[in-house]
Amino acid sequence: MKLLSRRWMLAILCITGGLAVTQIFFHGHLRVGTHPRLARLVNNTLHLRFGHNFKVNSALHVAAEKFAEIARHETNGRVEVTIYPEQQIGTDDQMIEMARNGTLDILLVPTANLSAAMPAMQYSDIPFFFRNREEAYQMLDGEPGKLILEKLNAIDLIGVTFWENGFKQLTANRPIHEPEDLKGLKMRVMKSRIIMDQFNAFGAQPIPLEFHATYNALKDGIVDGQENPLAVIVMMDFYKVQSHLTLSNHGYLAYAFVISQKVFQSLPNEIGLRLIDIARRLTSFEREETRRREAELLETIRRAGVTVQELTEEKREEFSAITAHIPHQFEGVIGLDIMAKTEELMRESRLGDAVNSDILIALDTDLSINAASAGLAIKRGAMIAINEINERGGVLGRKLALIARDNRGLPERGARNILDLASRPNLVAILGGSSSNVVLGEIDTIHQVKIPLLIPRAAAVSVVDNGYSPNFVFRLSVSDRDSDVFLINYALTKAKRPALLLINSALGRENHLSLTNTLRQHNITPTIVEWFNSGERDFAAHLSHIETSKADIVIVVATAAESVHIVNSMAKQSHSLPMVSNWGVSNSNMRDEARSALENIDLTFIQSFSFLTSRTPKTPEILQRYMTTFDVSSARDIFVPDGTAHAYDLVHLLALAITQAGSINREAVRDALEHIDTYAGLIKIYHQPFTSIRHEALSVSDYHLSRYDSAGVIVPVQSGNNASR
């Protein structure tokens, strides 16, 4: 233990010393310039600095030099790019910050090292995700990669393209033939949650270390092994201090080519676009250069006496099975929109023509903006049900499959999604999203294409009472017709002078009519009705008006986008009023964005299911499936639980309707949904869940009230009709 402690101290001193030298070098360069920006115009020539972390004889550096050469040539000398390899002007973390604040112009960096600032960049770190390079290129150059690069705008970077260092391999001072061989090994990793979770799953101990500290850590035994592509293993001499190499191809090391957003905005438009074009054109060159060198690199490792072995396909499957939960576990972190599109593309490319034999169910919801957590909850419930059905043989002898579309909370985009999805002949139904405003904008299109729309989370009355006959919309969710009565009855047990805080939209106006009518039945008029617009962030004035009105409780109808800001604003009021709300508050990321505020306010909202209190026979089994599939430790880790439960029961009801119809003809399935007799679901036993005159599967007897506890977990309140079920 003493020896290990000394080694750790030496490593820390070496790293700290190295950083100090780097800082001196870095600041020395800054003092040379006369302007804080590294992009400088001297004698009509624009001087740009380009930093990366690799050696000069690498494929990455060769491609960077080619970029500089082409930029000079194609701009007739107007652009001069100076390249700084091997972290000469700072560590990767320092260069990222320099690029973000505009003091580094161009940066080539491993995607994992961007993940602290932009979690979506962990995408290529998912273990055993890509079967081969071609599949990685298809995803990174296609829509998933474009979505990832777009997200860099939020951290002041322009994402241009993905270069590579190849697939990662494992090295250690003992052979790694199977997952058990990693148990107990201290493995050097980059700072990425996915990478650390990967090694934790194998029983290893992941140790994040700076790139250039890795060699000494391996040499001194501070770590036992590491993962990197062949180019890194040779260039950094890791093979000289490791006895075994396992060709595992378990992870893909992508490099993000980025331009500082602040610098880009200062460039002449034609120059900026030219630089982007050159980098993208060089992508295939850089990848081919990396690939071309790998045989020679492998021979160098073998000649040094390193024992080299390649995982068989069977062994790869064993490793892959242990980390199979990681894509599901991190899809909300990386981006549900990115992962949903990846799943669809991979499924189509891997199955080829066989994909047309599956029965498709689509999910159309917000996967990326304000209600993405609710979208993810719906997706998870549907996935659990689909996996369960497929394990039992599928439906009509065919497997079910789920594809998802991101409507970004926009009705027009949702309607376009419906048209695109309906063009697929083997698509039988669509699960709608959590926003009533979006669903209302899709109703006409749904009836134009005549496809069942199943609603697991959208409460506006007119979603179902839409005037169409036959009606293709079926809801297993809370309805505002009942929930407004439920909320008023609860509010009046606590106070007598309610105020209304309502979103100025079709959803808010519909609830305004229902709430005021219900209050009128109690001979009560709201003290004030405060309307707010979609996207508002500061509710101080609205809440001040409500306080002035002498209200003693606030009834809120909001969407996920505004609910976090309402909660944070209420917590800042000198006199915090109790609030009761529709379930928009549970669609949001309240746990992360308003946890401290939740401790200082009295907020109660409507729900229809909780894994914490449900006593139905299916609950233990589905809870276990959820925990296993998504690697969560308890029911408290399940966010938006009723969204998951609603989607789960809806998919099973749909499967029953398909079986009853004997086909996937959409109109026949619609008719069959109205004639299901009984289904023992997760939420309850359904007796005729839908009929020709009733397309609502839940009623007020299924509702209860919930609140957020101090950890931001949704917990039932022991009040309401079924809070303790």
Side-chain angles (χ1 to χ4, degrees):
M1 288 297 292
K2 289 182 179 179
L3 178 60
L4 183 60
S5 299
R6 289 195 195 100
R7 284 177 173 174
W8 270 108
M9 289 299 295
L10 285 171
I12 292 168
L13 288 170
C14 288
I15 294 168
T16 306
L19 291 178
V21 172
T22 301
Q23 289 282 4
I24 292 169
F25 187 96
F26 167 55
H27 289 296
H29 272 289
L30 282 184
R31 285 195 293 270
V32 171
T34 57
H35 191 278
R37 285 275 179 88
L38 291 182
R40 307 181 309 283
L41 189 64
V42 179
N43 297 327
N44 293 321
T45 298
L46 188 65
H47 291 263
L48 302 176
R49 291 190 181 182
F50 182 158
H52 67 76
N53 67 4
F54 225 62
K55 294 196 172 185
V56 295
N57 57 342
S58 66
L60 286 164
H61 186 74
V62 168
E65 287 185 318
K66 200 168 186 69
F67 172 86
E69 177 188 342
I70 295 173
R72 185 189 313 110
H73 172 72
E74 293 190 0
T75 61
N76 296 316
R78 292 177 62 195
V79 172
E80 189 73 36
V81 179
T82 303
I83 302 166
Y84 294 87
E86 300 185 66
Q87 298 185 334
Q88 287 180 0
I89 55 174
T91 66
D92 284 356
D93 288 343
Q94 289 169 332
M95 288 192 288
I96 289 167
E97 288 308 306
M98 291 165 64
R100 292 179 68 180
N101 64 35
T103 55
L104 178 63
D105 308 304
I106 302 169
L107 173 63
L108 187 61
V109 64
T111 52
N113 288 343
L114 280 165
S115 64
M118 178 48 61
M121 300 305 288
Q122 295 178 94
Y123 177 77
S124 65
D125 294 328
I126 301 173
F128 301 97
F129 196 48
F130 304 123
R131 289 188 173 182
N132 48 49
R133 268 186 161 97
E134 287 66 35
E135 188 169 79
Y137 300 159
Q138 180 191 6
M139 299 305 137
L140 292 171
D141 297 341
E143 190 170 346
K146 290 174 184 175
L147 291 169
I148 295 168
L149 292 173
E150 285 174 6
K151 291 180 186 290
L152 289 173
N153 293 335
I155 59 169
D156 302 315
L157 298 173
I158 303 293
V160 178
T161 187
F162 294 101
W163 289 3
E164 74 163 20
N165 226 340
F167 274 104
K168 292 187 286 186
Q169 321 298 344
L170 296 167
T171 70
N173 283 325
R174 74 183 192 198
I176 299 174
H177 299 291
E178 51 194 1
E180 289 75 16
D181 295 331
L182 281 164
K183 285 185 178 178
L185 288 184
K186 297 187 293 293
M187 299 294 290
R188 178 269 169 184
V189 297
M190 289 188 282
K191 296 175 184 177
S192 163
R193 278 184 56 203
I194 284 180
I195 295 175
M196 288 190 281
D197 277 16
Q198 161 194 310
F199 283 105
N200 282 325
F202 295 132
Q205 181 184 352
I207 298 176
L209 282 177
E210 176 56 42
F211 182 48
H212 285 281
T214 304
Y215 175 84
N216 284 333
L218 291 167
K219 180 182 177 183
D220 295 338
I222 295 169
V223 293
D224 303 312
Q226 59 85 50
E227 56 156 16
N228 259 305
L230 295 175
V232 178
I233 293 168
V234 173
M235 295 286 183
M236 301 304 294
D237 290 336
F238 297 161
Y239 72 104
K240 295 181 179 179
V241 288
Q242 297 273 267
S243 61
H244 288 76
L245 166 69
T246 299
L247 298 173
S248 54
N249 287 343
H250 64 277
Y252 178 78
L253 185 53
Y255 268 65
F257 189 110
V258 300
I259 300 175
S260 167
Q261 190 176 79
K262 292 180 179 179
V263 171
F264 185 82
Q265 290 170 348
S266 72
L267 297 175
N269 188 55
E270 70 277 10
I271 294 293
L273 294 178
R274 176 68 66 180
L275 295 176
I276 288 175
D277 178 62
I278 295 168
R280 288 176 177 168
R281 279 158 38 203
L282 281 171
T283 297
S284 58
F285 167 82
E286 189 279 333
R287 290 171 178 170
E288 183 56 37
E289 188 68 13
T290 297
R291 197 168 190 167
R292 182 184 65 79
R293 296 169 178 229
E294 288 184 346
E296 182 180 336
L297 294 168
L298 190 56
E299 185 57 31
T300 298
I301 294 170
R302 282 198 172 101
R303 284 199 304 267
V306 175
T307 301
V308 178
Q309 69 147 32
E310 184 172 1
L311 287 184
T312 65
E313 196 57 40
E314 180 183 357
K315 289 299 180 183
R316 273 182 56 84
E317 288 298 323
E318 289 182 22
F319 277 88
S320 180
I322 293 173
T323 59
H325 64 280
I326 289 181
H328 301 309
Q329 180 186 352
F330 282 89
E331 63 182 339
V333 175
I334 292 171
L336 187 52
D337 53 339
I338 295 165
M339 296 300 290
K341 177 53 65 174
T342 300
E343 288 171 1
E344 182 180 349
L345 292 174
M346 283 185 174
R347 179 176 168 275
E348 291 176 350
S349 65
R350 289 177 180 182
L351 295 178
D353 292 339
V355 76
N356 295 322
S357 66
D358 291 344
I359 298 173
L360 289 182
I361 303 170
L363 170 61
D364 171 70
T365 189
D366 180 357
L367 302 179
S368 60
I369 310 297
N370 297 310
S373 59
L376 181 54
I378 293 168
K379 182 173 184 282
R380 289 185 169 184
M383 282 179 58
I384 292 171
I386 287 170
N387 290 341
E388 197 173 57
I389 292 165
N390 287 342
E391 287 170 10
R392 297 170 184 169
V395 182
L396 304 180
R398 301 165 67 181
K399 287 187 176 181
L400 296 178
L402 183 73
I403 59 173
R405 288 284 188 278
D406 183 13
N407 61 40
R408 299 189 181 182
L410 301 172
E412 300 82 3
R413 187 181 176 98
R416 290 197 301 272
N417 287 346
I418 300 297
L419 287 173
D420 174 58
L421 291 165
S423 67
R424 294 171 174 258
N426 54 334
L427 186 89
V428 67
I430 298 172
L431 290 168
S434 59
S435 168
S436 290
N437 290 331
V438 175
V439 175
L440 289 172
E442 297 172 337
I443 297 294
D444 290 343
T445 307
I446 282 292
H447 288 89
Q448 173 190 331
V449 297
K450 291 183 169 52
I451 189 167
L453 178 63
L454 312 180
I455 303 297
R457 202 167 171 82
V461 174
S462 51
V463 164
V464 173
D465 293 356
N466 51 51
Y468 278 95
S469 181
N471 186 359
F472 277 79
V473 182
F474 297 80
R475 175 160 52 198
L476 196 158
S477 175
V478 169
S479 167
D480 285 338
R481 176 185 285 111
D482 294 328
S483 69
D484 286 345
V485 175
F486 189 83
L487 288 176
I488 291 291
N489 289 340
Y490 172 72
L492 295 182
T493 66
K494 301 185 67 173
K496 299 300 178 186
R497 299 187 305 279
L500 304 184
L501 180 60
L502 309 174
I503 187 169
N504 188 11
S505 67
L507 172 67
R509 291 187 290 275
E510 191 175 274
N511 276 269
H512 174 251
L513 181 62
S514 175
L515 289 166
T516 52
N517 284 342
T518 303
L519 286 169
R520 193 175 297 119
Q521 294 172 18
H522 294 270
N523 296 316
I524 293 175
T525 301
T527 62
I528 191 172
V529 179
E530 278 288 300
W531 295 93
F532 61 88
N533 295 319
S534 177
E536 280 195 44
R537 301 175 66 88
D538 186 355
F539 286 82
H542 293 297
L543 296 175
S544 178
H545 296 159
I546 288 171
E547 185 175 350
T548 303
S549 77
K550 305 300 183 183
D552 55 7
I553 197 166
V554 186
I555 299 172
V556 180
V557 176
T559 66
E562 298 81 26
S563 59
V564 168
H565 303 299
I566 292 172
V567 166
N568 282 327
S569 294
M570 179 61 85
K572 295 175 183 177
Q573 295 294 107
S574 58
H575 177 59
S576 177
L577 292 174
M579 294 191 296
V580 295
S581 174
N582 71 326
W583 64 357
V585 297
S586 63
N587 284 346
S588 59
N589 196 16
M590 197 75 70
R591 185 184 300 198
D592 295 328
E593 298 180 28
R595 185 179 299 185
S596 60
L598 290 169
E599 297 178 7
N600 299 310
I601 65 169
D602 179 0
L603 169 66
T604 313
F605 50 90
I606 198 165
Q607 293 281 274
S608 60
F609 180 82
S610 171
F611 282 100
L612 295 171
T613 56
S614 173
R615 298 293 180 265
T616 62
K618 278 199 169 186
T619 301
E621 177 192 348
I622 304 311
L623 175 58
Q624 187 57 52
R625 278 182 175 267
Y626 190 106
M627 292 167 60
T628 301
T629 305
F630 306 112
D631 195 37
V632 301
S633 58
S634 77
R636 288 177 55 82
D637 297 318
I638 300 177
F639 53 91
V640 197
D642 55 359
T644 293
H646 294 171
Y648 174 87
D649 278 354
L650 268 174
V651 168
H652 274 286
L653 289 170
L654 175 62
L656 288 174
I658 296 169
T659 301
Q660 189 167 304
S663 77
I664 60 170
N665 177 276
R666 296 163 183 174
E667 294 185 61
V669 171
R670 191 217 74 87
D671 293 345
L673 282 164
E674 294 181 343
H675 294 90
I676 295 171
D677 184 22
T678 301
Y679 164 62
L682 175 58
I683 297 175
K684 66 176 185 177
I685 296 176
Y686 299 86
H687 299 288
Q688 290 188 305
F690 306 114
T691 70
S692 60
I693 59 172
R694 178 179 47 79
H695 282 203
E696 301 276 10
L698 300 183
S699 66
V700 69
S701 64
D702 301 306
Y703 302 170
H704 67 258
L705 292 161
S706 291
R707 64 173 66 248
Y708 288 99
D709 69 8
S710 59
V713 176
I714 296 175
V715 295
V717 176
Q718 297 308 309
S719 173
N721 294 19
N722 69 344
S724 61
R725 275 194 312 134

